[in-house]
């Protein structure tokens, strides 16, 4: 949402009388809530993902129980 639209919702539609807490979520991380919206922050929406977050580990293709160190990951061309 653009900050202008957020400001419109908070100040003109809700008139500052009702809290407006944008949320975002997906099936991987769950639901993330926004920090409280304030004029001082230019009505910017900032999400904080729930903890603990999902963690991925890369494994060997033949021996899937063996993980590969992050530093060794390379993008193939």
């Amino acid at each position: 949402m653009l900050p202008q639209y957020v400001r419109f919702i908070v100040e003109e539609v809700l008139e500052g009388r009702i809290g407006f807490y944008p949320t975002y979520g997906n099936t991987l991380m769950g639901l993330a809530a926004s920090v409280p919206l304030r004029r001082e922050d230019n009505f910017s929406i900032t999400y904080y993902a729930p903890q603990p977050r999902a963690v991925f580990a890369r494994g060997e293709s033949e021996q899937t129980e063996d993980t590969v160190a992050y530093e060794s990951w390379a993008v193939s061309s």
Side-chain angles (χ1 to χ4, degrees):
M1 297 174 95
L2 295 174
Q4 299 92 322
Y5 188 68
V6 174
R7 187 213 56 81
F8 173 76
I9 292 172
V10 171
E11 292 185 348
E12 296 184 35
V13 175
L14 302 175
E15 299 177 342
R17 296 185 295 175
I18 299 173
F20 176 62
Y21 299 96
T23 57
Y24 170 80
N26 60 41
T27 56
L28 179 61
M29 73 169 198
L31 188 63
S34 171
V35 298
L37 301 168
R38 304 181 313 162
R39 176 179 289 284
E40 299 83 36
D41 298 329
N42 195 31
F43 295 102
S44 175
I45 296 175
T46 303
Y47 293 111
Y48 286 97
Q51 299 296 329
R53 295 175 128 175
V55 176
F56 291 96
R58 181 175 175 190
E60 293 289 347
S61 59
E62 298 299 320
Q63 300 292 333
T64 56
E65 65 275 359
D66 296 335
T67 58
V68 178
Y70 177 78
E71 295 79 20
S72 68
W73 291 16
V75 177
S76 302
S77 35

